[in-house]
Amino acid sequence: GVNHAWHCRKHERAGPPQERVPECAAQRSSSPRRAAPRAPPEGAAPKSHPLSSPSPVPPASHAAAAARRPDEAPVVLVTGGAQRIGRAIALELARAGWRVAVHYRQSAAEAAALVPQLDDARLGERGGCRAFGADLADEIQCRALVPGVRRAMGRLDALVNNASLFEHDSAADISFANMERHWRTNTGAPVLLAQALHAGGGQVVVNVLDQKL
């Protein structure tokens, strides 16, 4: 009422000029003060919503621990992995922590020399990588390759179809026999290997395309 308004005006006049803000008991009861948010301690990371940021990257020690458990690391089969591009692919995958199954047809010595280098790339875990020989133009050997890798290494998660046949030919000597030899290795084998990988639960296939399909 009138007394309440007079009380507020009186309070307003009583204060110094810089503090002339009316305040009364009714205002204090209807507008409670909110505590200011506390700043995080110096050096502490700010909190974030669990859905607003991706999962943290595991520290390097976790990768090293995984490399010390060879039976638990994923396995990739690289066909034609003993030389050239296949060798470079195998080494890069080993550095990333994969156990590599190196396929070769005639390059047995090169594959055997590569295996310890792959193990060294995986922080020196011996026995993590292996070499497997097969003629991919032979359907029986081709179909036996993926099951053989699984038996020897316990699993197979991915496949890199890198092997290829690149015999010289020309418009003068091309023939159906020549085309079929290239087709069996460069096209037929990748299809059969991917089929076998999928049948065992593997899902990742990388095809390195060769000009001689």
Side-chain angles (χ1 to χ4, degrees), residues 17-68:
Q18 67 272 20
E19 295 181 359
R20 298 183 64 175
V21 178
E23 181 180 357
C24 58
Q27 289 176 316
R28 287 196 301 269
S29 61
S30 61
S31 302
R33 292 185 179 181
R34 294 183 181 180
R38 294 183 180 180
E42 185 176 356
K47 292 184 179 181
S48 61
H49 192 279
L51 298 180
S52 63
S53 59
S55 300
V57 177
S61 58
H62 290 190
R68 288 193 294 271

Side-chain angles (χ1 to χ4, degrees), residues 75-99:
V75 176
V76 57
L77 169 61
V78 181
T79 66
Q83 299 186 84
R84 295 181 292 274
I85 294 176
R87 181 178 183 276
I89 292 172
L91 283 167
E92 189 65 23
L93 288 169
R95 293 187 191 103
W98 289 78
R99 289 189 291 151

Side-chain angles (χ1 to χ4, degrees), residues 160-179:
V160 178
N161 284 312
N162 167 76
S164 63
L165 182 65
F166 42 92
E167 293 178 349
H168 176 74
D169 57 24
S170 68
D173 58 17
I174 189 68
S175 65
F176 268 38
N178 178 280
M179 288 187 287

